[in-house]
């Protein structure tokens, strides 16, 4: 049983998130996801997510490729989460490339390529400008 662990905010869930999660799940037998808390986002990104921690956790848990999800309270606690969830592989998007190599002594660390042209920040600004339409979208 190979256990995969990944982390993210997953605010305004979009295809970039889903593709990353599906590819992470395909690396093992069980996918466990740490969903970052509202407080963590406010402290690290300076803004609260659109969806609350509870809503994001419920959405991520409802995906068929996700086996378990928990709240990530601290970016610095990755080592503790890896041990607690007995992860064999830590998967992160390549926007974090190299940043988690220090956990290579606890598990395998894999960075997957992000999907181009979509992000929560882009969705928020394009929705508020009224410029996003499904036609020709990502
Ligand atoms: N992602 C992607 N393609 C995109 C956007 C996001 O592959 N176009 C991936 C990210 O690389 C990440 C996951 O989807 O692996 C979740 O993305 P975010 O919600 O933006 O996560 P982030 O805020 O970077 O995570 O410990 C990390 C923290 O939880 C923060």
């Amino acid at each position: 049983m190979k256990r995969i662990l990944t982390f993210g905010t997953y605010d305004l869930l979009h295809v970039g998130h889903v593709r990353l999660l599906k590819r992470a799940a395909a690396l093992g037998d069980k996918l466990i996801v740490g969903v970052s808390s509202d407080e963590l986002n406010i402290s690290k990104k300076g803004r609260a997510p659109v969806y609350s921690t509870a809503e994001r956790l419920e959405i991520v848990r409802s995906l068929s490729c996700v086996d378990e999800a928990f709240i990530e309270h601290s970016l610095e606690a990755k080592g503790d989460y890896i041990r607690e969830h007995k992860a064999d592989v830590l998967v992160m998007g390549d926007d974090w490339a190299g940043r988690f190599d220090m956990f290579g002594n606890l598990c395998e660390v894999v960075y997957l390529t992000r999907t181009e042209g979509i992000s929560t920040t882009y969705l928020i600004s394009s929705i508020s400008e009224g410029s996003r339409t499904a036609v020709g979208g990502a």
Side-chain angles (χ1 to χ4, degrees):
M1 169 73 72
K2 197 168 178 186
R3 298 164 68 89
I4 314 295
L5 178 62
T6 192
F7 293 89
T9 308
Y10 307 103
D11 193 24
L12 302 181
L13 192 77
H14 57 68
V15 287
H17 298 142
V18 172
R19 288 175 191 165
L20 196 295
L21 290 171
K22 283 181 181 165
R23 284 156 63 218
L27 296 176
D29 305 298
K30 183 165 187 173
L31 179 62
I32 305 158
V33 183
V35 176
S36 59
S37 68
D38 291 343
E39 294 73 20
L40 179 54
N41 275 272
I42 292 164
S43 71
K44 298 289 173 185
K45 295 185 182 174
R47 69 168 174 82
V50 176
Y51 293 157
S52 69
T53 308
E55 288 169 326
R56 291 181 289 106
L57 196 58
E58 185 175 340
I59 290 166
V60 168
R61 273 190 183 139
S62 75
L63 299 172
S64 58
C65 63
V66 174
D67 296 289
E68 266 179 45
F70 65 93
I71 300 173
E72 177 193 25
H73 291 287
S74 164
L75 284 182
E76 286 73 39
K78 290 241 166 12
D80 297 332
Y81 293 128
I82 290 168
R83 280 186 281 263
E84 195 180 317
H85 294 280
K86 299 180 172 53
D88 299 296
V89 187
L90 171 65
V91 174
M92 299 296 296
D94 64 0
D95 46 326
W96 296 92
R99 300 267 299 276
F100 297 104
D101 289 356
M102 67 277 227
F103 299 116
N105 58 335
L106 294 176
C107 66
E108 189 185 340
V109 181
V110 173
Y111 303 97
L112 296 180
T113 321
R114 283 167 64 92
T115 299
E116 291 292 315
I118 186 102
S119 70
T120 301
T121 308
Y122 160 74
L123 286 174
I124 292 170
S125 62
S126 61
I127 290 166
S128 61
E129 287 163 11
S131 58
R132 168 97 184 159
T133 62
V135 179

